[in-house]
Protein backbone atom coordinates (compact mmCIF):
# COMPACT_ATOMS: atom_id res chain seq x y z
CA UNK A 1 0.00 0.00 0.00
CA UNK A 2 2.90 2.31 0.75
CA UNK A 3 4.33 1.76 -2.74
CA UNK A 4 0.97 2.55 -4.29
CA UNK A 5 0.68 5.72 -2.20
CA UNK A 6 4.16 6.81 -3.29
CA UNK A 7 3.30 6.17 -6.94
CA UNK A 8 0.12 8.21 -6.54
CA UNK A 9 2.02 11.10 -4.98
CA UNK A 10 4.58 11.09 -7.80
CA UNK A 11 1.86 10.96 -10.46
CA UNK A 12 -0.37 13.50 -8.73
CA UNK A 13 -3.15 10.93 -8.45
CA UNK A 14 -5.80 11.33 -5.78
CA UNK A 15 -8.40 8.71 -4.89
CA UNK A 16 -11.13 10.30 -2.83
CA UNK A 17 -13.44 8.69 -0.33
CA UNK A 18 -16.24 9.42 -2.79
CA UNK A 19 -14.35 7.49 -5.51
CA UNK A 20 -14.16 4.51 -3.16
CA UNK A 21 -17.86 4.71 -2.26
CA UNK A 22 -18.81 5.03 -5.92
CA UNK A 23 -16.79 1.92 -6.79
CA UNK A 24 -18.37 -0.07 -3.95
CA UNK A 25 -21.78 1.05 -5.24
CA UNK A 26 -20.90 -0.11 -8.78
CA UNK A 27 -19.77 -3.51 -7.52
CA UNK A 28 -22.83 -3.90 -5.30
CA UNK A 29 -25.11 -3.05 -8.22
CA UNK A 30 -23.55 -5.82 -10.30
CA UNK A 31 -24.86 -8.21 -7.67
CA UNK A 32 -28.20 -6.43 -7.44
CA UNK A 33 -27.51 -5.29 -3.88
CA UNK A 34 -27.39 -2.00 -2.04
CA UNK A 35 -23.99 -0.87 -0.78
CA UNK A 36 -25.03 -1.61 2.80
CA UNK A 37 -26.22 -5.13 1.99
CA UNK A 38 -23.12 -5.87 -0.08
CA UNK A 39 -20.78 -4.71 2.69
CA UNK A 40 -22.79 -6.68 5.23
CA UNK A 41 -22.51 -9.80 3.06
CA UNK A 42 -18.72 -9.38 2.80
CA UNK A 43 -18.42 -9.07 6.53
CA UNK A 44 -20.61 -12.08 7.28
CA UNK A 45 -19.43 -14.43 4.53
CA UNK A 46 -15.79 -13.38 4.08
CA UNK A 47 -15.04 -11.81 7.47
CA UNK A 48 -14.00 -8.55 5.79
CA UNK A 49 -15.15 -5.44 7.69
CA UNK A 50 -16.33 -2.56 5.47
CA UNK A 51 -13.46 -0.27 6.45
CA UNK A 52 -10.87 -2.95 5.65
CA UNK A 53 -12.55 -3.71 2.31
CA UNK A 54 -12.59 -0.07 1.27
CA UNK A 55 -9.09 0.77 2.54
CA UNK A 56 -7.20 -2.39 1.65
CA UNK A 57 -8.99 -3.66 -1.45
CA UNK A 58 -10.95 -0.91 -3.19
CA UNK A 59 -8.61 2.04 -2.58
CA UNK A 60 -5.48 0.26 -3.87
CA UNK A 61 -7.36 -1.05 -6.90
CA UNK A 62 -8.60 2.43 -7.83
CA UNK A 63 -5.21 4.00 -7.15
CA UNK A 64 -3.39 1.50 -9.36
CA UNK A 65 -6.00 1.93 -12.06
CA UNK A 66 -5.53 5.73 -12.03
CA UNK A 67 -1.73 5.56 -11.91
CA UNK A 68 -1.58 3.08 -14.79
CA UNK A 69 -4.32 4.67 -16.89
CA UNK A 70 -1.92 6.80 -18.93
CA UNK A 71 0.53 3.95 -19.38
CA UNK A 72 -1.88 1.36 -20.77
CA UNK A 73 -2.63 1.14 -24.44
CA UNK A 74 -5.13 -1.40 -25.71
CA UNK A 75 -4.87 -2.43 -29.33
CA UNK A 76 -7.90 -3.00 -31.55
CA UNK A 77 -6.87 -6.67 -31.74
CA UNK A 78 -6.96 -6.99 -27.94
CA UNK A 79 -10.42 -5.40 -27.86
CA UNK A 80 -11.67 -7.79 -30.56
CA UNK A 81 -10.24 -10.81 -28.74
CA UNK A 82 -11.85 -9.77 -25.48
CA UNK A 83 -15.19 -9.12 -27.16
CA UNK A 84 -15.02 -12.55 -28.75
CA UNK A 85 -14.25 -14.14 -25.38
CA UNK A 86 -17.07 -12.32 -23.61
CA UNK A 87 -19.75 -12.56 -26.27
Amino acid sequence: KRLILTACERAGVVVTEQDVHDEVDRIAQRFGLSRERYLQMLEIERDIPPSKYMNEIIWPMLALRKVAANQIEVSPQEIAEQMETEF
Side-chain angles (χ1 to χ4, degrees):
K1 189 172 177 181
R2 186 177 303 257
L3 292 173
I4 295 169
L5 184 58
T6 301
C8 286
E9 289 170 354
R10 287 183 183 156
V13 169
V14 176
V15 177
T16 66
E17 189 173 322
Q18 186 61 49
D19 293 334
V20 172
H21 286 286
D22 290 346
E23 183 65 17
V24 172
D25 287 343
R26 275 190 288 278
I27 294 169
Q29 286 176 354
R30 286 187 208 150
F31 293 105
L33 301 170
S34 68
R35 178 190 333 163
E36 293 77 19
R37 180 67 185 120
Y38 176 69
L39 292 172
Q40 182 183 40
M41 180 194 71
L42 284 173
E43 189 164 21
I44 292 168
E45 293 182 11
R46 306 266 190 227
D47 196 28
I48 302 172
S51 61
K52 182 176 182 177
Y53 178 68
M54 290 189 270
N55 292 325
E56 295 182 19
I57 297 172
I58 298 299
W59 183 89
M61 177 186 67
L62 291 175
L64 285 172
R65 193 181 294 165
K66 284 185 173 189
V67 167
N70 295 331
Q71 300 172 13
I72 297 173
E73 189 173 313
V74 181
S75 71
Q77 180 182 350
E78 290 172 317
I79 293 172
E81 288 172 0
Q82 189 63 36
M83 289 291 288
E84 200 171 299
T85 301
E86 293 290 323
F87 303 104

